[in-house]
Amino acid sequence: LARAYYQIGKFSLALTYLEKRYESTSELTDSIGIAGVYDNIGMVYVHFRNYEKAIELRMKANEIYAAHNKKNMVASGYNWIGTIYKEQGEYSKAIEYSLKSVKLYEETNEKINSSYPLLNISSIYRFLKQYDKAKEYALAARDKFVIANYLEGEAWSLYRLSIIYSDEHKYSTSVKYAEDAKIIFNKIGNLYGIVCASMLEGSANLNQGNISIALNYFENALPIAIKMGDENVVAVLYENIGSSYKDKGDFRKALEYLYKSDKILNKIN
């Protein structure tokens, strides 16, 4: 249940069920089960931007996995710790943990899982504005996912490439990769991915002055985000819609949506 709610972006409900699972595994003194709960709660805290708590839980999980010689799980933990450090802007630590993850996965011949830290490293190089290196790692990850026929990983690789091209102001290429990603997200039913890709398509068109097209992408994504219950994403969409109406000169509508965004952002602090 927790994983299902996480998949559709209802992170508060996912956390509720993970906390119930923690109670059950604690009663059973199931250490591996407890580590798994730490793992998943850590992922939810990343979405809540509580990075300190997320790292704390991930480190606890890795200690348990290492004690049981679960190399794949330790590698997964390293990858997520790298992700969290990346979100905090601590790029040297992020690369350090991502490379640790790649090394451990390669030791156990885990081709699919070794692709995720490659995506992390791609993101780090993007933040450092080293776009060629960022593309290199994103494409390497995508190729591994394609060989393994793992659609979700392929979609997120395409999404990352779309972001990189957007940063380079190559908006047509950005839209192409975002659309390719969205086709796969639709196929596998990943609502969060659909919304993320649609927002990229909208932003790329807005930056090119295609305001009506951008609005169409944002407004189509809005009911999906509302259905997910992710207030942060809904607020961002309201802001994007408001900005689009401002650029169109429809200031009444712009204010309507910007006030909606402001109200949610204040609510969730």
Side-chain angles (χ1 to χ4, degrees):
L1 282 166
R3 286 180 179 179
Y5 281 120
Y6 180 88
Q7 180 75 0
I8 63 172
K10 295 195 174 183
F11 303 119
S12 293
L13 276 171
L15 185 59
T16 297
Y17 282 100
L18 286 168
E19 286 169 347
K20 288 182 180 181
R21 177 164 171 78
Y22 177 75
E23 291 173 12
S24 300
T25 50
S26 297
E27 287 173 12
L28 294 167
T29 61
D30 174 7
S31 60
I32 293 293
I34 289 169
V37 177
Y38 286 154
D39 265 352
N40 287 291
I41 293 177
M43 289 167 66
V44 174
Y45 275 121
V46 169
H47 285 280
F48 290 152
R49 311 294 192 268
N50 190 341
Y51 300 123
E52 187 177 330
K53 188 69 176 174
I55 287 176
E56 177 192 332
L57 289 167
R58 280 287 172 171
M59 292 290 194
K60 282 183 177 181
N62 262 24
E63 287 175 11
I64 296 171
Y65 291 138
H68 288 270
N69 197 32
K70 299 281 188 182
K71 285 187 176 182
N72 284 356
M73 303 310 295
V74 173
S76 174
Y78 282 152
N79 181 43
W80 270 97
I81 291 166
T83 301
I84 298 163
Y85 278 125
K86 177 193 70 179
E87 295 296 327
Q88 290 181 303
E90 296 189 41
Y91 300 132
S92 59
K93 281 187 177 181
I95 290 175
E96 175 193 342
Y97 278 96
S98 296
L99 289 173
K100 280 183 178 182
S101 179
V102 173
K103 184 180 177 182
L104 267 181
Y105 276 134
E106 286 176 348
E107 285 179 14
T108 55
N109 200 30
E110 283 279 342
K111 290 182 173 63
I112 293 178
N113 287 328
S114 66
S115 303
Y116 285 109
L118 293 176
L119 282 181
N120 261 350
I121 295 169
S122 170
S123 290
I124 294 161
Y125 280 119
R126 174 193 156 230
F127 291 144
L128 295 171
K129 301 189 187 303
Q130 296 182 32
Y131 297 123
D132 287 341
K133 292 284 279 184
K135 290 177 204 168
E136 177 189 331
Y137 278 96
L139 285 167
R142 184 205 61 180
D143 290 347
K144 283 193 173 190
F145 286 130
V146 169
I147 291 167
N149 194 31
Y150 186 61
L151 291 176
E152 185 166 8
E154 182 186 350
W156 284 116
S157 302
L158 294 168
Y159 174 78
R160 296 292 177 88
L161 285 162
S162 177
I163 296 174
I164 296 164
Y165 279 105
S166 180
D167 284 358
E168 289 186 298
H169 301 162
K170 296 177 181 177
Y171 298 119
S172 296
T173 308
S174 175
V175 168
K176 177 189 176 299
Y177 277 112
E179 185 60 31
D180 288 345
K182 193 163 74 173
I183 289 167
I184 298 174
F185 285 134
N186 269 299
K187 186 176 181 179
I188 62 177
N190 188 320
L191 299 182
Y192 185 67
I194 293 166
V195 171
C196 288
S198 296
M199 287 168 70
L200 267 179
E201 290 174 301
S203 296
N205 275 283
L206 195 60
N207 285 319
Q208 292 179 97
N210 302 326
I211 302 170
S212 295
I213 297 172
L215 261 173
N216 188 53
Y217 280 118
F218 295 141
E219 289 177 339
N220 285 340
L222 183 60
I224 302 173
I226 291 170
K227 180 182 177 181
M228 283 165 46
D230 188 329
E231 291 184 306
N232 185 61
V233 174
V234 172
V236 172
L237 279 166
Y238 280 147
E239 183 180 356
N240 287 339
I241 293 169
S243 295
S244 301
Y245 278 118
K246 178 178 72 69
D247 289 352
K248 282 188 80 171
D250 191 339
F251 301 120
R252 287 185 184 277
K253 279 229 172 189
L255 282 170
E256 175 190 337
Y257 281 99
L258 291 170
Y259 275 128
K260 285 181 179 180
S261 178
D262 183 65
K263 183 178 180 180
I264 294 172
L265 291 171
N266 275 296
K267 176 187 169 187
I268 62 177
N269 198 27

